[in-house]
Amino acid sequence: MLELFKLLGNKRLFILLMGLVLFIGLMGFTIGPRTTLSWPEKFTRDTIGFVQYVFYRPAGYIAGFFEDISTLRSLYEENEQLKTALAHYTRDKAKYNYIEQENERLKNDLHFTEEQRNKYNYEYRIAQVVSVNNDPNNRTLVIDLGARDGVKQNMSVTSAEGLVGIVSQVSNFTSTVKLLTSMDAKDPNSKAIAATALGKENDSFGMIESYDQASGTFIMTKIKETDPLQKGDTIVSSGIGGVFPRGMVIGTVVSRQVGDFGLTNTAQIKPAADFSDWKELFVVFTPEVKE
Amino acid sequence: MAMRRNILVALLFILFIIEGTIIPWLVPDAWQTRIVPHLVYIVILFVAVYGHRHTALVLGLIFGMIHDVVFYGQIIGTYSFAMGLSSYLMGLIFQAPRAPLPVMMTVVLLGSLLFDGILHALYTLFHLTDESFDFAFVDHMLPNLVIHFVFALVIYVPLRRQLEMLYRRRRASREDKA
C-alpha cells in the first residue's frame, strides 16, 4: 500500500494521470448534446474559418479548371441529356402549376391556418464550403454561414444533388456540418431520417439510420414486407421525424433484402450527393414554429 | 532564436490550413476518406526527435485542440489527446539530436500507426464508430502511412537543418550559463 502512495509521489506519473482524467472529462462533456459553444471555441472557429476561406476558394478554382478540361469531351453528351431533361421539366411545369393552384384553393376552402400553410415553405440559403475534414470517423465540413445569418443546430444541408448532412455546431460566422456518412444507429446523438420513395409517398416508409463505410451505402431499415419499394427508386425524406425537412433527395435503392429478424426488410441506398469536391451547399431554413 | 521558433509555429499553422483546404482537392474522389494525412503531426514528430519531447507534447495538444474545435462534429479532445500522447511517447523513446534518416523514418511509421490507432480506440470507446480495427487498418491507416512517409522524406532535410539550428543554439546558451 505504501509503495502505491510512493508511486503517486512520482510527479510525471501524477501529471500524466491528471491529464488522462481531464481529457476523459472533456470528451465526456462535449459528446453530449450542446446547444451553444463557449466564446474561446467561437473565436477560434471564426478566425481560423476566415483564413481557411482565403485558401479554399482559389484551390477550388484551380482544381475546377483542370476538371473542366478533362470533362470537355463529355460536354456535348451532357448538353444533349440536359435538353431532354428541360423538355420534361416544361411539360411537368404545366401540370405542377395546375396542381398547385388547386391545392391552394382546397387549402382556402378548408380554412388552413397561416402556420399550416407555411409548413413546407422552405428557404434555401447558399453557403460556401470553407474547409473539409475527411477523417472517416468524424467527417465534417465548415461552411461560411453562422449564427449571424440565422443558422441553428440540426438544420439540414444539401448540395444540388441531394442531402449532405446536418449542422452540428454553430459559431458567429461559420458552422460545422456533420456529414450523413457518420450516421450510426448505436450513437444516441445521431439522428435517423424518416424516408419514403419518390412517387410512392403514401405507401412506402423506412428509417435511414446508418451508413456502411465498406459498401458506401446508407442502410434503410424498418420497411414493411408489403411495401412497394423496389430497386431503382429515388428515396426522399418524408419529414415525419421533424428534424429533416420533407422532400430532401437522399439516394437511389441499390438492393432490398429481408432484415436481421425476418420481420421487416432492409434496403441499401446509394447516396445522391457524391461527398467530394465541395463547393456550394444549401442550408435549409424551415419556417419558425411559434412557441 | 525566438524568431525561428515563431516560424516553426507559423509553419505548423499553415500546414493545418492546407490539410483542411488544399489536400481534399488533391485526393481523388474515390480515396476521399482513405487518405487523410496529418501533416502537422509529422512535423511535430520531427520536433519530438530533434528537439524536445515536452515541446512536442505542448504543440501536439494545441494543434490537436484547434483541429477538434474547428471540425467539431461529435466530440472534442480526441485529436488533442492522440496527438499529444503519441508525440510525447515517440519523443520519450526516440529523442536523439543526431538520429539518422532511417531512425526518423521508423519514428514516422510507428508514430503514424500509433496516432491512428489511438484515434480509432477513442472513437470505439465512445461508440462513435463500429468499424473493426482490421478494416480501419486497411481502409485508411495504411494509405495514410504511405503518404506520411513520403511527406516526411520530402521535408526531412530542410526541417532537420532548421530544428538543429534552433536547438543547438539553445543547448549552447544553456551550457554557457552552467
Side-chain angles (χ1 to χ4, degrees), chain A residues 12 16 19-20 23-24 26-32 34 37 40-42 44-45 48-49 51-53 55-56 59-61 63-64 67 130-142 168-169 176 178 181-182 184 186-190 211 213-214 274-279, chain B residues 13-14 16-36 38 53-54 57 61 65-82 85 88-89 92 116 119-120 122-123 125-131 135-136 139-140 144:
Chain A
R12 193 177 300 163
L16 201 74
L20 199 69
F23 263 106
I24 289 183
L26 178 72
M27 289 181 215
F29 173 66
T30 52
I31 198 175
R34 286 179 75 199
L37 297 172
E41 283 170 293
K42 282 185 184 169
T44 320
R45 290 161 61 95
I48 290 180
V51 181
Q52 284 174 329
Y53 184 78
F55 275 72
Y56 191 83
Y61 279 127
E67 205 172 304
V130 167
S131 61
V132 181
N133 176 25
N134 272 331
D135 180 358
N137 299 312
N138 174 37
R139 260 187 110 178
T140 49
L141 298 172
V142 181
S168 64
Q169 299 294 338
T176 311
K178 192 172 84 176
T181 53
S182 59
D184 191 354
K186 280 185 201 149
D187 177 13
N189 295 318
S190 175
Y211 177 78
Q213 194 86 45
D274 58 357
F275 292 102
S276 61
D277 291 349
W278 303 101
K279 278 182 188 132
Chain B
F13 185 73
I14 288 172
F16 171 74
I17 300 289
I18 288 176
E19 249 176 52
T21 54
I22 295 175
I23 299 286
W25 289 106
L26 299 179
V27 176
D29 289 2
W31 288 75
Q32 284 280 324
T33 56
R34 302 192 62 186
I35 299 178
V36 194
H38 310 291
R53 59 177 186 278
H54 289 157
L57 171 72
L61 287 178
M65 190 52 83
I66 292 178
H67 187 284
D68 276 328
V69 169
V70 172
F71 300 109
Y72 183 8
Q74 286 146 313
I75 190 168
I76 279 185
T78 45
Y79 266 72
S80 185
F81 182 77
L85 181 68
Y88 180 80
L89 284 181
L92 192 69
D116 279 335
L119 266 188
H120 185 263
L122 281 174
Y123 283 121
L125 180 71
F126 285 99
H127 285 289
L128 293 176
T129 175
D130 52 0
E131 60 189 27
F135 176 76
D139 182 61
H140 56 265
N144 269 352

Side-chain angles (χ1 to χ4, degrees), chain B residues 38 41-42 45 82 86-87 89-90 105-121 133-134 136-146 148-149:
Chain B
H38 310 291
Y41 174 66
I42 299 304
L45 278 183
S86 52
S87 51
L89 284 181
M90 292 327 271
M105 289 304 131
T106 318
V107 173
V108 168
L109 294 183
L110 287 178
S112 154
L113 278 183
L114 184 67
F115 178 69
D116 279 335
I118 293 177
L119 266 188
H120 185 263
F133 183 82
D134 298 354
F137 184 76
V138 179
D139 182 61
H140 56 265
M141 289 186 197
L142 273 182
N144 269 352
L145 194 74
V146 175
H148 286 166
F149 186 79

